[in-house]
Amino acid sequence: MAITAQTYTFHCRFVSEARLPGYLGSTLRGALGWALKKTSCALRHQKCESCLLRAQCAYSWIFETEQYQAGGGRTVNARPHPFVLQPQRLIEGVYRQGETFSFSLLLIDRACEFLPQIARALQLMAETGIGTGRRQGFGRFELMKISVGQQTIYAKEDNMLTTSPALCSIELAEPPSQTAAQISIVLDTPLRLKEANRLKRALPFHILIRAALRRIAALEEAYGGGEPELDYRGLVKRAEQTEMTASTIRWKELFRFSNRQRKKISLSGLVGQATYSGNLREFVPILDYAAQVNIGKQTVFGLGRLHLNKV
């Protein structure tokens, strides 16, 4: 039970004044999608779903999803997007020429093959700018380098991608040998979970585990060896017996502006920290996996990012 993936970090420097929103994930996602389509699409007026080149197209594979046949002949309506943006924390406001920023991009499975196309799309993004006032020349930047961990695989001076390190493996490990009586979950970006078509305003442990299991099953079905053979009902039932002993979980309002829909779209969700107590050993691998791939809705914007502390 594993998927291949790699996290690439893009280091940038503004060459003009920039006016940025408080959360950069939606801005980066929109700009990257536009630039990748601009640089990848050979048939400008062809719809992706009917294009003969879609299997070889970086934009189509990364940003468009399609139905596919899962195990047992089951049809899945949409393949999960094979990327997760991981923007750094920026304060909303004005950034001066020369200031730097960076963000990371987790690419899953075959999406890693399209890194050269993504790098070229970043260069186009840089020339066009991000944030507000692009038509007036604001928000332009230059891509200085791309790194994987401590290794630099692209430098502006050479304008060449070197050989990338081997892909990592994200897998559902075996439970740890030691007991886990307490776990603290920190929600770094808003977590959006829906139940009965309503967003959850609280985070009992079984809701967290349900969301993590859904994410794991979807990714493994699409990009791994198939849906993991887990005792889903049993895991959820046992999660219901876990107690929340401390919490600073709160609702955070966050919005983005959709150019396509010409209106504000909510990215609001839960942030903060929750501590759970009980027999948690079997849930540690599930949460470790979830911490690497984000959970909930709009993970492509970087939402649903979490990390955990085990006691």
Side-chain angles (χ1 to χ4, degrees), residues 169-190:
S169 178
I170 300 175
E171 59 184 326
L172 198 60
E174 292 295 322
S177 56
Q178 68 273 24
T179 60
Q182 190 176 89
I183 292 177
S184 289
I185 299 293
V186 182
L187 303 179
D188 299 309
T189 57

Side-chain angles (χ1 to χ4, degrees), residues 14-19 94-97 130 132-133 137-140:
F14 287 114
V15 298
S16 69
E17 182 180 297
R19 301 172 179 178
V94 176
Y95 288 78
R96 294 173 295 181
Q97 177 182 344
I130 58 173
T132 58
F138 293 110
R140 294 178 183 173

Side-chain angles (χ1 to χ4, degrees), residues 256-272:
R256 71 180 180 93
F257 184 79
S258 171
N259 289 316
R260 182 175 62 84
Q261 299 182 53
R262 307 303 301 173
K263 66 177 183 180
K264 283 187 175 181
I265 305 294
S266 177
L267 295 178
S268 305
L270 300 172
V271 296

